[in-house]
Amino acid sequence: LRPQFRHHLSHIRHFTGVARVMARGSGVVRQPPGAEALVSRIVIVYTSSASQELVTRVGDQEVSVVATPVSYTWQWGDGTTTTTTDPGAAYPDHTVYHRYSRTARGVTITLTTTWTATYSVAGGPPQPVSGTLTTTDTADPFDLVRSISYLTDDAEEAQDH
């Protein structure tokens, strides 16, 4: 290998080159969606567990890097975090969720995904990349509210009042 190629390849072996190529995380989905969530109900989150293939050129060689998520850290916006190897799932199969204890405005859930990777040069066998890479995704802010019940004339009449 030419010295310049070896230098660039050493960056990929240690994730510095991967960090430059990899720009996107795995995304965040929140249920319920929208501007508000009830304090009395759980908030469900999930993300994609799919690997990402990144292709770049180092010198005149094509280098393929496959990054695979290995852990997910959810910051709930209330000072608590949950770390799991589970990316979560949508309702009713949900596995990652949080119950908030008080109302709040502008709550933001942040996901930090930790990735490991392999690389291969010109279609050769995959080699491990040392270290890990993290990406951060943020869900749209929302307000935590309480459900308030109101008595109406209809409710009073149904009770013969």
mmCIF file with all atom_site columns, all heavy atoms in Angstrom, residues 2-18 20 56-61 63 119 121:
data_model
loop_
_atom_site.group_PDB
_atom_site.id
_atom_site.type_symbol
_atom_site.label_atom_id
_atom_site.label_alt_id
_atom_site.label_comp_id
_atom_site.label_asym_id
_atom_site.label_entity_id
_atom_site.label_seq_id
_atom_site.pdbx_PDB_ins_code
_atom_site.Cartn_x
_atom_site.Cartn_y
_atom_site.Cartn_z
_atom_site.occupancy
_atom_site.B_iso_or_equiv
_atom_site.pdbx_formal_charge
_atom_site.auth_seq_id
_atom_site.auth_comp_id
_atom_site.auth_asym_id
_atom_site.auth_atom_id
_atom_site.pdbx_PDB_model_num
ATOM 1   N N   . ARG A 1 2   ? 0.404   2.258  -0.712 1.00 0.00 ? 2   ARG A N   1
ATOM 2   C CA  . ARG A 1 2   ? 1.132   3.526  -0.736 1.00 0.00 ? 2   ARG A CA  1
ATOM 3   C C   . ARG A 1 2   ? 1.030   4.199  0.630  1.00 0.00 ? 2   ARG A C   1
ATOM 4   O O   . ARG A 1 2   ? 0.029   4.065  1.333  1.00 0.00 ? 2   ARG A O   1
ATOM 5   C CB  . ARG A 1 2   ? 0.550   4.432  -1.818 1.00 0.00 ? 2   ARG A CB  1
ATOM 6   C CG  . ARG A 1 2   ? 0.806   3.897  -3.212 1.00 0.00 ? 2   ARG A CG  1
ATOM 7   C CD  . ARG A 1 2   ? 0.454   4.945  -4.240 1.00 0.00 ? 2   ARG A CD  1
ATOM 8   N NE  . ARG A 1 2   ? -0.899  5.459  -4.056 1.00 0.00 ? 2   ARG A NE  1
ATOM 9   C CZ  . ARG A 1 2   ? -1.889  5.260  -4.916 1.00 0.00 ? 2   ARG A CZ  1
ATOM 10  N NH1 . ARG A 1 2   ? -1.689  4.556  -5.990 1.00 0.00 ? 2   ARG A NH1 1
ATOM 11  N NH2 . ARG A 1 2   ? -3.067  5.778  -4.693 1.00 0.00 ? 2   ARG A NH2 1
ATOM 12  N N   . PRO A 1 3   ? 2.048   4.953  1.045  1.00 0.00 ? 3   PRO A N   1
ATOM 13  C CA  . PRO A 1 3   ? 2.035   5.599  2.364  1.00 0.00 ? 3   PRO A CA  1
ATOM 14  C C   . PRO A 1 3   ? 0.795   6.467  2.584  1.00 0.00 ? 3   PRO A C   1
ATOM 15  O O   . PRO A 1 3   ? 0.211   6.454  3.654  1.00 0.00 ? 3   PRO A O   1
ATOM 16  C CB  . PRO A 1 3   ? 3.315   6.438  2.381  1.00 0.00 ? 3   PRO A CB  1
ATOM 17  C CG  . PRO A 1 3   ? 4.223   5.784  1.395  1.00 0.00 ? 3   PRO A CG  1
ATOM 18  C CD  . PRO A 1 3   ? 3.317   5.176  0.346  1.00 0.00 ? 3   PRO A CD  1
ATOM 19  N N   . GLN A 1 4   ? 0.386   7.247  1.575  1.00 0.00 ? 4   GLN A N   1
ATOM 20  C CA  . GLN A 1 4   ? -0.784  8.117  1.739  1.00 0.00 ? 4   GLN A CA  1
ATOM 21  C C   . GLN A 1 4   ? -2.045  7.285  1.981  1.00 0.00 ? 4   GLN A C   1
ATOM 22  O O   . GLN A 1 4   ? -2.865  7.616  2.827  1.00 0.00 ? 4   GLN A O   1
ATOM 23  C CB  . GLN A 1 4   ? -0.958  8.994  0.501  1.00 0.00 ? 4   GLN A CB  1
ATOM 24  C CG  . GLN A 1 4   ? -2.101  9.978  0.642  1.00 0.00 ? 4   GLN A CG  1
ATOM 25  C CD  . GLN A 1 4   ? -2.277  10.816 -0.613 1.00 0.00 ? 4   GLN A CD  1
ATOM 26  O OE1 . GLN A 1 4   ? -1.857  10.416 -1.696 1.00 0.00 ? 4   GLN A OE1 1
ATOM 27  N NE2 . GLN A 1 4   ? -2.900  11.965 -0.451 1.00 0.00 ? 4   GLN A NE2 1
ATOM 28  N N   . PHE A 1 5   ? -2.207  6.177  1.283  1.00 0.00 ? 5   PHE A N   1
ATOM 29  C CA  . PHE A 1 5   ? -3.371  5.301  1.462  1.00 0.00 ? 5   PHE A CA  1
ATOM 30  C C   . PHE A 1 5   ? -3.359  4.699  2.865  1.00 0.00 ? 5   PHE A C   1
ATOM 31  O O   . PHE A 1 5   ? -4.376  4.659  3.533  1.00 0.00 ? 5   PHE A O   1
ATOM 32  C CB  . PHE A 1 5   ? -3.372  4.199  0.394  1.00 0.00 ? 5   PHE A CB  1
ATOM 33  C CG  . PHE A 1 5   ? -4.547  3.283  0.497  1.00 0.00 ? 5   PHE A CG  1
ATOM 34  C CD1 . PHE A 1 5   ? -5.805  3.691  0.105  1.00 0.00 ? 5   PHE A CD1 1
ATOM 35  C CD2 . PHE A 1 5   ? -4.390  1.999  1.003  1.00 0.00 ? 5   PHE A CD2 1
ATOM 36  C CE1 . PHE A 1 5   ? -6.895  2.843  0.206  1.00 0.00 ? 5   PHE A CE1 1
ATOM 37  C CE2 . PHE A 1 5   ? -5.481  1.146  1.113  1.00 0.00 ? 5   PHE A CE2 1
ATOM 38  C CZ  . PHE A 1 5   ? -6.733  1.574  0.710  1.00 0.00 ? 5   PHE A CZ  1
ATOM 39  N N   . ARG A 1 6   ? -2.179  4.243  3.310  1.00 0.00 ? 6   ARG A N   1
ATOM 40  C CA  . ARG A 1 6   ? -2.071  3.679  4.669  1.00 0.00 ? 6   ARG A CA  1
ATOM 41  C C   . ARG A 1 6   ? -2.466  4.713  5.717  1.00 0.00 ? 6   ARG A C   1
ATOM 42  O O   . ARG A 1 6   ? -3.121  4.401  6.693  1.00 0.00 ? 6   ARG A O   1
ATOM 43  C CB  . ARG A 1 6   ? -0.659  3.152  4.925  1.00 0.00 ? 6   ARG A CB  1
ATOM 44  C CG  . ARG A 1 6   ? -0.417  1.782  4.337  1.00 0.00 ? 6   ARG A CG  1
ATOM 45  C CD  . ARG A 1 6   ? 0.823   1.133  4.924  1.00 0.00 ? 6   ARG A CD  1
ATOM 46  N NE  . ARG A 1 6   ? 2.027   1.931  4.770  1.00 0.00 ? 6   ARG A NE  1
ATOM 47  C CZ  . ARG A 1 6   ? 2.883   1.826  3.757  1.00 0.00 ? 6   ARG A CZ  1
ATOM 48  N NH1 . ARG A 1 6   ? 2.676   0.941  2.798  1.00 0.00 ? 6   ARG A NH1 1
ATOM 49  N NH2 . ARG A 1 6   ? 3.942   2.578  3.702  1.00 0.00 ? 6   ARG A NH2 1
ATOM 50  N N   . HIS A 1 7   ? -2.075  5.974  5.536  1.00 0.00 ? 7   HIS A N   1
ATOM 51  C CA  . HIS A 1 7   ? -2.413  7.046  6.478  1.00 0.00 ? 7   HIS A CA  1
ATOM 52  C C   . HIS A 1 7   ? -3.934  7.233  6.547  1.00 0.00 ? 7   HIS A C   1
ATOM 53  O O   . HIS A 1 7   ? -4.509  7.291  7.630  1.00 0.00 ? 7   HIS A O   1
ATOM 54  C CB  . HIS A 1 7   ? -1.731  8.358  6.072  1.00 0.00 ? 7   HIS A CB  1
ATOM 55  C CG  . HIS A 1 7   ? -2.187  9.539  6.857  1.00 0.00 ? 7   HIS A CG  1
ATOM 56  N ND1 . HIS A 1 7   ? -1.812  9.747  8.171  1.00 0.00 ? 7   HIS A ND1 1
ATOM 57  C CD2 . HIS A 1 7   ? -3.015  10.557 6.525  1.00 0.00 ? 7   HIS A CD2 1
ATOM 58  C CE1 . HIS A 1 7   ? -2.385  10.856 8.610  1.00 0.00 ? 7   HIS A CE1 1
ATOM 59  N NE2 . HIS A 1 7   ? -3.112  11.368 7.625  1.00 0.00 ? 7   HIS A NE2 1
ATOM 60  N N   . HIS A 1 8   ? -4.597  7.337  5.396  1.00 0.00 ? 8   HIS A N   1
ATOM 61  C CA  . HIS A 1 8   ? -6.058  7.507  5.372  1.00 0.00 ? 8   HIS A CA  1
ATOM 62  C C   . HIS A 1 8   ? -6.766  6.289  5.952  1.00 0.00 ? 8   HIS A C   1
ATOM 63  O O   . HIS A 1 8   ? -7.742  6.411  6.682  1.00 0.00 ? 8   HIS A O   1
ATOM 64  C CB  . HIS A 1 8   ? -6.552  7.768  3.942  1.00 0.00 ? 8   HIS A CB  1
ATOM 65  C CG  . HIS A 1 8   ? -6.152  9.101  3.409  1.00 0.00 ? 8   HIS A CG  1
ATOM 66  N ND1 . HIS A 1 8   ? -6.531  10.278 4.004  1.00 0.00 ? 8   HIS A ND1 1
ATOM 67  C CD2 . HIS A 1 8   ? -5.398  9.434  2.328  1.00 0.00 ? 8   HIS A CD2 1
ATOM 68  C CE1 . HIS A 1 8   ? -6.034  11.300 3.323  1.00 0.00 ? 8   HIS A CE1 1
ATOM 69  N NE2 . HIS A 1 8   ? -5.347  10.816 2.297  1.00 0.00 ? 8   HIS A NE2 1
ATOM 70  N N   . LEU A 1 9   ? -6.272  5.111  5.642  1.00 0.00 ? 9   LEU A N   1
ATOM 71  C CA  . LEU A 1 9   ? -6.884  3.891  6.145  1.00 0.00 ? 9   LEU A CA  1
ATOM 72  C C   . LEU A 1 9   ? -6.765  3.810  7.668  1.00 0.00 ? 9   LEU A C   1
ATOM 73  O O   . LEU A 1 9   ? -7.670  3.342  8.345  1.00 0.00 ? 9   LEU A O   1
ATOM 74  C CB  . LEU A 1 9   ? -6.242  2.674  5.486  1.00 0.00 ? 9   LEU A CB  1
ATOM 75  C CG  . LEU A 1 9   ? -6.991  1.357  5.618  1.00 0.00 ? 9   LEU A CG  1
ATOM 76  C CD1 . LEU A 1 9   ? -8.414  1.490  5.091  1.00 0.00 ? 9   LEU A CD1 1
ATOM 77  C CD2 . LEU A 1 9   ? -6.254  0.271  4.864  1.00 0.00 ? 9   LEU A CD2 1
ATOM 78  N N   . SER A 1 10  ? -5.656  4.310  8.215  1.00 0.00 ? 10  SER A N   1
ATOM 79  C CA  . SER A 1 10  ? -5.503  4.279  9.680  1.00 0.00 ? 10  SER A CA  1
ATOM 80  C C   . SER A 1 10  ? -6.567  5.139  10.351 1.00 0.00 ? 10  SER A C   1
ATOM 81  O O   . SER A 1 10  ? -7.034  4.828  11.438 1.00 0.00 ? 10  SER A O   1
ATOM 82  C CB  . SER A 1 10  ? -4.103  4.725  10.090 1.00 0.00 ? 10  SER A CB  1
ATOM 83  O OG  . SER A 1 10  ? -3.938  6.109  9.907  1.00 0.00 ? 10  SER A OG  1
ATOM 84  N N   . HIS A 1 11  ? -6.992  6.237  9.705  1.00 0.00 ? 11  HIS A N   1
ATOM 85  C CA  . HIS A 1 11  ? -8.087  7.052  10.260 1.00 0.00 ? 11  HIS A CA  1
ATOM 86  C C   . HIS A 1 11  ? -9.388  6.266  10.292 1.00 0.00 ? 11  HIS A C   1
ATOM 87  O O   . HIS A 1 11  ? -10.152 6.361  11.241 1.00 0.00 ? 11  HIS A O   1
ATOM 88  C CB  . HIS A 1 11  ? -8.281  8.334  9.452  1.00 0.00 ? 11  HIS A CB  1
ATOM 89  C CG  . HIS A 1 11  ? -7.229  9.352  9.703  1.00 0.00 ? 11  HIS A CG  1
ATOM 90  N ND1 . HIS A 1 11  ? -7.062  9.976  10.915 1.00 0.00 ? 11  HIS A ND1 1
ATOM 91  C CD2 . HIS A 1 11  ? -6.267  9.861  8.890  1.00 0.00 ? 11  HIS A CD2 1
ATOM 92  C CE1 . HIS A 1 11  ? -6.061  10.828 10.842 1.00 0.00 ? 11  HIS A CE1 1
ATOM 93  N NE2 . HIS A 1 11  ? -5.559  10.772 9.619  1.00 0.00 ? 11  HIS A NE2 1
ATOM 94  N N   . ILE A 1 12  ? -9.659  5.487  9.272  1.00 0.00 ? 12  ILE A N   1
ATOM 95  C CA  . ILE A 1 12  ? -10.880 4.691  9.233  1.00 0.00 ? 12  ILE A CA  1
ATOM 96  C C   . ILE A 1 12  ? -10.824 3.599  10.293 1.00 0.00 ? 12  ILE A C   1
ATOM 97  O O   . ILE A 1 12  ? -11.801 3.349  10.981 1.00 0.00 ? 12  ILE A O   1
ATOM 98  C CB  . ILE A 1 12  ? -11.105 4.113  7.825  1.00 0.00 ? 12  ILE A CB  1
ATOM 99  C CG1 . ILE A 1 12  ? -11.480 5.253  6.883  1.00 0.00 ? 12  ILE A CG1 1
ATOM 100 C CG2 . ILE A 1 12  ? -12.178 3.031  7.839  1.00 0.00 ? 12  ILE A CG2 1
ATOM 101 C CD1 . ILE A 1 12  ? -11.588 4.877  5.454  1.00 0.00 ? 12  ILE A CD1 1
ATOM 102 N N   . ARG A 1 13  ? -9.682  2.971  10.463 1.00 0.00 ? 13  ARG A N   1
ATOM 103 C CA  . ARG A 1 13  ? -9.551  1.914  11.476 1.00 0.00 ? 13  ARG A CA  1
ATOM 104 C C   . ARG A 1 13  ? -9.846  2.422  12.885 1.00 0.00 ? 13  ARG A C   1
ATOM 105 O O   . ARG A 1 13  ? -10.206 1.666  13.758 1.00 0.00 ? 13  ARG A O   1
ATOM 106 C CB  . ARG A 1 13  ? -8.136  1.332  11.456 1.00 0.00 ? 13  ARG A CB  1
ATOM 107 C CG  . ARG A 1 13  ? -7.865  0.453  10.279 1.00 0.00 ? 13  ARG A CG  1
ATOM 108 C CD  . ARG A 1 13  ? -6.492  -0.183 10.417 1.00 0.00 ? 13  ARG A CD  1
ATOM 109 N NE  . ARG A 1 13  ? -6.133  -0.822 9.179  1.00 0.00 ? 13  ARG A NE  1
ATOM 110 C CZ  . ARG A 1 13  ? -4.997  -0.619 8.523  1.00 0.00 ? 13  ARG A CZ  1
ATOM 111 N NH1 . ARG A 1 13  ? -4.085  0.200  9.009  1.00 0.00 ? 13  ARG A NH1 1
ATOM 112 N NH2 . ARG A 1 13  ? -4.753  -1.249 7.402  1.00 0.00 ? 13  ARG A NH2 1
ATOM 113 N N   . HIS A 1 14  ? -9.687  3.726  13.112 1.00 0.00 ? 14  HIS A N   1
ATOM 114 C CA  . HIS A 1 14  ? -9.861  4.287  14.452 1.00 0.00 ? 14  HIS A CA  1
ATOM 115 C C   . HIS A 1 14  ? -11.061 5.236  14.535 1.00 0.00 ? 14  HIS A C   1
ATOM 116 O O   . HIS A 1 14  ? -11.125 6.039  15.451 1.00 0.00 ? 14  HIS A O   1
ATOM 117 C CB  . HIS A 1 14  ? -8.593  5.009  14.899 1.00 0.00 ? 14  HIS A CB  1
ATOM 118 C CG  . HIS A 1 14  ? -7.422  4.088  14.973 1.00 0.00 ? 14  HIS A CG  1
ATOM 119 N ND1 . HIS A 1 14  ? -7.348  3.064  15.878 1.00 0.00 ? 14  HIS A ND1 1
ATOM 120 C CD2 . HIS A 1 14  ? -6.294  4.024  14.231 1.00 0.00 ? 14  HIS A CD2 1
ATOM 121 C CE1 . HIS A 1 14  ? -6.224  2.399  15.701 1.00 0.00 ? 14  HIS A CE1 1
ATOM 122 N NE2 . HIS A 1 14  ? -5.562  2.957  14.698 1.00 0.00 ? 14  HIS A NE2 1
ATOM 123 N N   . PHE A 1 15  ? -11.976 5.163  13.626 1.00 0.00 ? 15  PHE A N   1
ATOM 124 C CA  . PHE A 1 15  ? -13.237 5.894  13.622 1.00 0.00 ? 15  PHE A CA  1
ATOM 125 C C   . PHE A 1 15  ? -13.119 7.365  13.292 1.00 0.00 ? 15  PHE A C   1
ATOM 126 O O   . PHE A 1 15  ? -14.116 8.031  13.105 1.00 0.00 ? 15  PHE A O   1
ATOM 127 C CB  . PHE A 1 15  ? -13.986 5.749  14.960 1.00 0.00 ? 15  PHE A CB  1
ATOM 128 C CG  . PHE A 1 15  ? -15.218 4.921  14.831 1.00 0.00 ? 15  PHE A CG  1
ATOM 129 C CD1 . PHE A 1 15  ? -15.308 3.703  15.467 1.00 0.00 ? 15  PHE A CD1 1
ATOM 130 C CD2 . PHE A 1 15  ? -16.291 5.342  14.088 1.00 0.00 ? 15  PHE A CD2 1
ATOM 131 C CE1 . PHE A 1 15  ? -16.438 2.929  15.359 1.00 0.00 ? 15  PHE A CE1 1
ATOM 132 C CE2 . PHE A 1 15  ? -17.427 4.578  13.971 1.00 0.00 ? 15  PHE A CE2 1
ATOM 133 C CZ  . PHE A 1 15  ? -17.498 3.370  14.609 1.00 0.00 ? 15  PHE A CZ  1
ATOM 134 N N   . THR A 1 16  ? -11.938 7.943  13.186 1.00 0.00 ? 16  THR A N   1
ATOM 135 C CA  . THR A 1 16  ? -11.881 9.364  12.874 1.00 0.00 ? 16  THR A CA  1
ATOM 136 C C   . THR A 1 16  ? -12.396 9.624  11.462 1.00 0.00 ? 16  THR A C   1
ATOM 137 O O   . THR A 1 16  ? -13.104 10.596 11.231 1.00 0.00 ? 16  THR A O   1
ATOM 138 C CB  . THR A 1 16  ? -10.443 9.916  13.021 1.00 0.00 ? 16  THR A CB  1
ATOM 139 O OG1 . THR A 1 16  ? -9.565  9.138  12.215 1.00 0.00 ? 16  THR A OG1 1
ATOM 140 C CG2 . THR A 1 16  ? -10.003 9.902  14.463 1.00 0.00 ? 16  THR A CG2 1
ATOM 141 N N   . GLY A 1 17  ? -12.080 8.741  10.532 1.00 0.00 ? 17  GLY A N   1
ATOM 142 C CA  . GLY A 1 17  ? -12.598 8.889  9.173  1.00 0.00 ? 17  GLY A CA  1
ATOM 143 C C   . GLY A 1 17  ? -14.073 8.576  9.098  1.00 0.00 ? 17  GLY A C   1
ATOM 144 O O   . GLY A 1 17  ? -14.820 9.204  8.352  1.00 0.00 ? 17  GLY A O   1
ATOM 145 N N   . VAL A 1 18  ? -14.539 7.617  9.885  1.00 0.00 ? 18  VAL A N   1
ATOM 146 C CA  . VAL A 1 18  ? -15.955 7.249  9.888  1.00 0.00 ? 18  VAL A CA  1
ATOM 147 C C   . VAL A 1 18  ? -16.793 8.416  10.380 1.00 0.00 ? 18  VAL A C   1
ATOM 148 O O   . VAL A 1 18  ? -17.851 8.718  9.841  1.00 0.00 ? 18  VAL A O   1
ATOM 149 C CB  . VAL A 1 18  ? -16.201 5.993  10.759 1.00 0.00 ? 18  VAL A CB  1
ATOM 150 C CG1 . VAL A 1 18  ? -17.679 5.670  10.838 1.00 0.00 ? 18  VAL A CG1 1
ATOM 151 C CG2 . VAL A 1 18  ? -15.429 4.816  10.203 1.00 0.00 ? 18  VAL A CG2 1
ATOM 152 N N   . ARG A 1 20  ? -16.311 11.522 10.031 1.00 0.00 ? 20  ARG A N   1
ATOM 153 C CA  . ARG A 1 20  ? -16.456 12.524 8.979  1.00 0.00 ? 20  ARG A CA  1
ATOM 154 C C   . ARG A 1 20  ? -17.469 12.092 7.928  1.00 0.00 ? 20  ARG A C   1
ATOM 155 O O   . ARG A 1 20  ? -18.181 12.907 7.377  1.00 0.00 ? 20  ARG A O   1
ATOM 156 C CB  . ARG A 1 20  ? -15.109 12.789 8.311  1.00 0.00 ? 20  ARG A CB  1
ATOM 157 C CG  . ARG A 1 20  ? -14.303 13.825 9.037  1.00 0.00 ? 20  ARG A CG  1
ATOM 158 C CD  . ARG A 1 20  ? -13.107 14.248 8.215  1.00 0.00 ? 20  ARG A CD  1
ATOM 159 N NE  . ARG A 1 20  ? -11.923 14.076 9.038  1.00 0.00 ? 20  ARG A NE  1
ATOM 160 C CZ  . ARG A 1 20  ? -11.031 13.112 8.922  1.00 0.00 ? 20  ARG A CZ  1
ATOM 161 N NH1 . ARG A 1 20  ? -11.133 12.231 7.986  1.00 0.00 ? 20  ARG A NH1 1
ATOM 162 N NH2 . ARG A 1 20  ? -10.009 13.042 9.726  1.00 0.00 ? 20  ARG A NH2 1
ATOM 163 N N   . THR A 1 56  ? -16.837 5.402  0.702  1.00 0.00 ? 56  THR A N   1
ATOM 164 C CA  . THR A 1 56  ? -15.969 6.535  0.417  1.00 0.00 ? 56  THR A CA  1
ATOM 165 C C   . THR A 1 56  ? -14.774 6.042  -0.403 1.00 0.00 ? 56  THR A C   1
ATOM 166 O O   . THR A 1 56  ? -14.601 4.837  -0.571 1.00 0.00 ? 56  THR A O   1
ATOM 167 C CB  . THR A 1 56  ? -15.505 7.205  1.732  1.00 0.00 ? 56  THR A CB  1
ATOM 168 O OG1 . THR A 1 56  ? -14.824 8.422  1.418  1.00 0.00 ? 56  THR A OG1 1
ATOM 169 C CG2 . THR A 1 56  ? -14.635 6.293  2.566  1.00 0.00 ? 56  THR A CG2 1
ATOM 170 N N   . ARG A 1 57  ? -14.011 6.953  -0.887 1.00 0.00 ? 57  ARG A N   1
ATOM 171 C CA  . ARG A 1 57  ? -12.788 6.596  -1.617 1.00 0.00 ? 57  ARG A CA  1
ATOM 172 C C   . ARG A 1 57  ? -11.597 7.037  -0.788 1.00 0.00 ? 57  ARG A C   1
ATOM 173 O O   . ARG A 1 57  ? -11.568 8.138  -0.261 1.00 0.00 ? 57  ARG A O   1
ATOM 174 C CB  . ARG A 1 57  ? -12.763 7.248  -2.984 1.00 0.00 ? 57  ARG A CB  1
ATOM 175 C CG  . ARG A 1 57  ? -13.862 6.703  -3.889 1.00 0.00 ? 57  ARG A CG  1
ATOM 176 C CD  . ARG A 1 57  ? -13.592 6.975  -5.345 1.00 0.00 ? 57  ARG A CD  1
ATOM 177 N NE  . ARG A 1 57  ? -12.540 6.173  -5.931 1.00 0.00 ? 57  ARG A NE  1
ATOM 178 C CZ  . ARG A 1 57  ? -12.648 4.895  -6.301 1.00 0.00 ? 57  ARG A CZ  1
ATOM 179 N NH1 . ARG A 1 57  ? -13.776 4.257  -6.112 1.00 0.00 ? 57  ARG A NH1 1
ATOM 180 N NH2 . ARG A 1 57  ? -11.644 4.264  -6.860 1.00 0.00 ? 57  ARG A NH2 1
ATOM 181 N N   . VAL A 1 58  ? -10.641 6.163  -0.686 1.00 0.00 ? 58  VAL A N   1
ATOM 182 C CA  . VAL A 1 58  ? -9.370  6.479  -0.053 1.00 0.00 ? 58  VAL A CA  1
ATOM 183 C C   . VAL A 1 58  ? -8.323  6.241  -1.120 1.00 0.00 ? 58  VAL A C   1
ATOM 184 O O   . VAL A 1 58  ? -8.098  5.102  -1.531 1.00 0.00 ? 58  VAL A O   1
ATOM 185 C CB  . VAL A 1 58  ? -9.122  5.608  1.195  1.00 0.00 ? 58  VAL A CB  1
ATOM 186 C CG1 . VAL A 1 58  ? -7.756  5.910  1.787  1.00 0.00 ? 58  VAL A CG1 1
ATOM 187 C CG2 . VAL A 1 58  ? -10.216 5.810  2.225  1.00 0.00 ? 58  VAL A CG2 1
ATOM 188 N N   . GLY A 1 59  ? -7.750  7.335  -1.597 1.00 0.00 ? 59  GLY A N   1
ATOM 189 C CA  . GLY A 1 59  ? -6.853  7.221  -2.748 1.00 0.00 ? 59  GLY A CA  1
ATOM 190 C C   . GLY A 1 59  ? -7.664  6.722  -3.929 1.00 0.00 ? 59  GLY A C   1
ATOM 191 O O   . GLY A 1 59  ? -8.712  7.262  -4.248 1.00 0.00 ? 59  GLY A O   1
ATOM 192 N N   . ASP A 1 60  ? -7.214  5.649  -4.563 1.00 0.00 ? 60  ASP A N   1
ATOM 193 C CA  . ASP A 1 60  ? -7.957  5.092  -5.692 1.00 0.00 ? 60  ASP A CA  1
ATOM 194 C C   . ASP A 1 60  ? -8.744  3.844  -5.295 1.00 0.00 ? 60  ASP A C   1
ATOM 195 O O   . ASP A 1 60  ? -9.226  3.108  -6.159 1.00 0.00 ? 60  ASP A O   1
ATOM 196 C CB  . ASP A 1 60  ? -7.004  4.798  -6.853 1.00 0.00 ? 60  ASP A CB  1
ATOM 197 C CG  . ASP A 1 60  ? -5.913  3.796  -6.482 1.00 0.00 ? 60  ASP A CG  1
ATOM 198 O OD1 . ASP A 1 60  ? -5.783  3.472  -5.282 1.00 0.00 ? 60  ASP A OD1 1
ATOM 199 O OD2 . ASP A 1 60  ? -5.197  3.349  -7.397 1.00 0.00 ? 60  ASP A OD2 1
ATOM 200 N N   . GLN A 1 61  ? -8.898  3.595  -3.998 1.00 0.00 ? 61  GLN A N   1
ATOM 201 C CA  . GLN A 1 61  ? -9.612  2.412  -3.514 1.00 0.00 ? 61  GLN A CA  1
ATOM 202 C C   . GLN A 1 61  ? -10.979 2.800  -2.929 1.00 0.00 ? 61  GLN A C   1
ATOM 203 O O   . GLN A 1 61  ? -11.082 3.797  -2.219 1.00 0.00 ? 61  GLN A O   1
ATOM 204 C CB  . GLN A 1 61  ? -8.809  1.704  -2.420 1.00 0.00 ? 61  GLN A CB  1
ATOM 205 C CG  . GLN A 1 61  ? -7.473  1.180  -2.865 1.00 0.00 ? 61  GLN A CG  1
ATOM 206 C CD  . GLN A 1 61  ? -7.617  -0.017 -3.787 1.00 0.00 ? 61  GLN A CD  1
ATOM 207 O OE1 . GLN A 1 61  ? -8.448  -0.875 -3.574 1.00 0.00 ? 61  GLN A OE1 1
ATOM 208 N NE2 . GLN A 1 61  ? -6.790  -0.070 -4.825 1.00 0.00 ? 61  GLN A NE2 1
ATOM 209 N N   . VAL A 1 63  ? -13.689 2.218  -0.209 1.00 0.00 ? 63  VAL A N   1
ATOM 210 C CA  . VAL A 1 63  ? -13.746 1.683  1.143  1.00 0.00 ? 63  VAL A CA  1
ATOM 211 C C   . VAL A 1 63  ? -15.207 1.719  1.600  1.00 0.00 ? 63  VAL A C   1
ATOM 212 O O   . VAL A 1 63  ? -15.861 2.760  1.531  1.00 0.00 ? 63  VAL A O   1
ATOM 213 C CB  . VAL A 1 63  ? -12.862 2.479  2.118  1.00 0.00 ? 63  VAL A CB  1
ATOM 214 C CG1 . VAL A 1 63  ? -12.986 1.938  3.541  1.00 0.00 ? 63  VAL A CG1 1
ATOM 215 C CG2 . VAL A 1 63  ? -11.411 2.456  1.661  1.00 0.00 ? 63  VAL A CG2 1
ATOM 216 N N   . TYR A 1 119 ? -14.963 -2.214 8.272  1.00 0.00 ? 119 TYR A N   1
ATOM 217 C CA  . TYR A 1 119 ? -14.659 -1.614 6.976  1.00 0.00 ? 119 TYR A CA  1
ATOM 218 C C   . TYR A 1 119 ? -14.091 -2.694 6.067  1.00 0.00 ? 119 TYR A C   1
ATOM 219 O O   . TYR A 1 119 ? -13.557 -3.704 6.529  1.00 0.00 ? 119 TYR A O   1
ATOM 220 C CB  . TYR A 1 119 ? -13.661 -0.453 7.110  1.00 0.00 ? 119 TYR A CB  1
ATOM 221 C CG  . TYR A 1 119 ? -12.259 -0.883 7.428  1.00 0.00 ? 119 TYR A CG  1
ATOM 222 C CD1 . TYR A 1 119 ? -11.325 -1.065 6.414  1.00 0.00 ? 119 TYR A CD1 1
ATOM 223 C CD2 . TYR A 1 119 ? -11.875 -1.123 8.742  1.00 0.00 ? 119 TYR A CD2 1
ATOM 224 C CE1 . TYR A 1 119 ? -10.030 -1.486 6.716  1.00 0.00 ? 119 TYR A CE1 1
ATOM 225 C CE2 . TYR A 1 119 ? -10.587 -1.533 9.043  1.00 0.00 ? 119 TYR A CE2 1
ATOM 226 C CZ  . TYR A 1 119 ? -9.668  -1.716 8.027  1.00 0.00 ? 119 TYR A CZ  1
ATOM 227 O OH  . TYR A 1 119 ? -8.396  -2.133 8.311  1.00 0.00 ? 119 TYR A OH  1
ATOM 228 N N   . VAL A 1 121 ? -11.970 -2.930 2.142  1.00 0.00 ? 121 VAL A N   1
ATOM 229 C CA  . VAL A 1 121 ? -11.321 -2.204 1.054  1.00 0.00 ? 121 VAL A CA  1
ATOM 230 C C   . VAL A 1 121 ? -11.530 -2.983 -0.230 1.00 0.00 ? 121 VAL A C   1
ATOM 231 O O   . VAL A 1 121 ? -11.227 -4.179 -0.295 1.00 0.00 ? 121 VAL A O   1
ATOM 232 C CB  . VAL A 1 121 ? -9.811  -2.025 1.339  1.00 0.00 ? 121 VAL A CB  1
ATOM 233 C CG1 . VAL A 1 121 ? -9.127  -1.299 0.184  1.00 0.00 ? 121 VAL A CG1 1
ATOM 234 C CG2 . VAL A 1 121 ? -9.605  -1.274 2.645  1.00 0.00 ? 121 VAL A CG2 1
#
